[in-house]
Amino acid sequence: MQYLTSAICTGAVLALLPAQASAQAYQCQTPRISNVPQVSPNGQTRKLPITGYTMALSWSPAFCRTRQDNRSHSTQCSGDNGSFGLIVHGLWPESGRTWPQWCPTQGRLTPTETRRNMCMMPSARLVARQWAKHGSCMTKRPDTYFKVTRILWESLRIPDYDRISREDGLTAGRIRQAFADANGGWSASQVGVKLNRQGWLEEIRLCYNKRFRPTRCTSSRYGAKDGVRAKIWRGL
């Protein structure tokens, strides 16, 4: 397995971003972080060649629908630290039909680095888990993994899904096409849409090749077909 160095990885990503890229704009107050949560692997180690990447963006209002009073999700769901729409679930390396995971590493995630990422990933446990499970298979240093993730995230324009949620006859295809239309260089075939069993939006998955260029999603990442009826939870 070949690790990406900070200079190469960051430079490659920056070179591919459109000139008009703009950061996400929402209110977020980062909480104090004194300790990094401990994460235990829940699967086997897989050190595999990386063939591409997936950036998973979770729709926070749906996630928080039943978690507003859950202390373990208070940063994201209580409203005390801001309101969230799409948030980064993670940047995941791919390897054909499977993925690398839980790679051994000497890199240590610090409270400072954890807090730095809490506006795009508003859960200290989520930050720690994404580094341990996925980032460890991409690079030796957690700050490199999160720097690349932030660059990709801040390059994206998020459609007004609150408005789109009110459209009659909403479909998965409309959700993915709206994202592609908002982001030059992306096509609908490169945007995955994950719905839950009731048809509510759970996640958008962006497909990249190993040079961080948008690429056609595999069927598993593409998710719901275009004609499938969809709903977007806006919150109470």
Side-chain angles (χ1 to χ4, degrees), residues 23-155:
Q24 302 306 300
Y26 56 79
Q27 293 183 347
C28 170
Q29 298 178 12
T30 55
R32 293 182 179 275
I33 303 293
S34 56
N35 296 293
V36 177
Q38 296 299 306
V39 177
S40 299
N42 63 348
Q44 63 182 349
T45 295
R46 287 200 294 260
K47 295 188 289 185
L48 300 168
I50 294 174
T51 59
Y53 302 91
T54 300
M55 175 172 274
L57 307 178
S58 293
W59 182 243
S60 188
F63 177 83
C64 292
R65 185 174 181 176
T66 60
R67 297 179 174 90
Q68 286 98 339
D69 299 322
N70 189 321
R71 291 185 63 184
S72 63
H73 299 292
S74 61
T75 300
Q76 181 175 350
C77 299
S78 69
D80 295 339
N81 298 89
S83 298
F84 300 91
L86 283 174
I87 61 119
V88 175
H89 182 171
L91 179 63
W92 306 335
E94 302 288 340
S95 186
R97 295 185 178 182
T98 186
W99 57 90
Q101 65 175 16
W102 302 115
C103 295
T105 178
Q106 298 299 313
R108 292 290 179 266
L109 183 62
T110 65
T112 299
E113 184 63 30
T114 302
R115 187 171 189 264
R116 183 178 293 130
N117 296 289
M118 290 286 284
C119 280
M120 72 171 182
M121 303 173 74
S123 163
R125 181 163 294 279
L126 176 62
V127 173
R129 181 177 176 83
Q130 294 308 299
W131 159 247
K133 184 174 182 179
H134 301 290
S136 63
C137 297
M138 290 171 52
T139 178
K140 295 179 179 180
R141 295 164 53 98
D143 58 328
T144 301
Y145 171 69
F146 288 111
K147 179 182 285 187
V148 170
T149 304
R150 286 195 305 272
I151 290 171
L152 292 172
W153 167 240
E154 291 173 359
S155 78

Side-chain angles (χ1 to χ4, degrees), residues 133-197:
K133 184 174 182 179
H134 301 290
S136 63
C137 297
M138 290 171 52
T139 178
K140 295 179 179 180
R141 295 164 53 98
D143 58 328
T144 301
Y145 171 69
F146 288 111
K147 179 182 285 187
V148 170
T149 304
R150 286 195 305 272
I151 290 171
L152 292 172
W153 167 240
E154 291 173 359
S155 78
L156 300 173
R157 287 193 171 95
I158 304 303
D160 184 355
Y161 281 124
D162 182 88
R163 177 183 59 78
I164 292 170
S165 72
R166 303 169 194 273
E167 296 179 1
D168 293 332
L170 183 63
T171 64
R174 170 66 175 123
I175 291 172
R176 63 169 46 93
Q177 188 62 57
F179 192 94
D181 289 345
N183 291 273
W186 286 87
S187 69
S189 67
Q190 298 161 342
V191 181
V193 174
K194 181 183 179 184
L195 306 177
N196 69 12
R197 292 181 179 179

Side-chain angles (χ1 to χ4, degrees), residues 53 186 189-191 206-209 213-217 221:
Y53 302 91
W186 286 87
S189 67
Q190 298 161 342
V191 181
L206 305 179
C207 301
Y208 296 88
N209 66 18
R213 295 181 184 275
T215 191
R216 187 180 185 88
C217 292
R221 290 185 289 168

Side-chain angles (χ1 to χ4, degrees), residues 196-207:
N196 69 12
R197 292 181 179 179
Q198 290 74 44
W200 294 98
L201 175 65
E202 280 192 351
E203 209 159 70
I204 287 177
R205 293 181 174 176
L206 305 179
C207 301

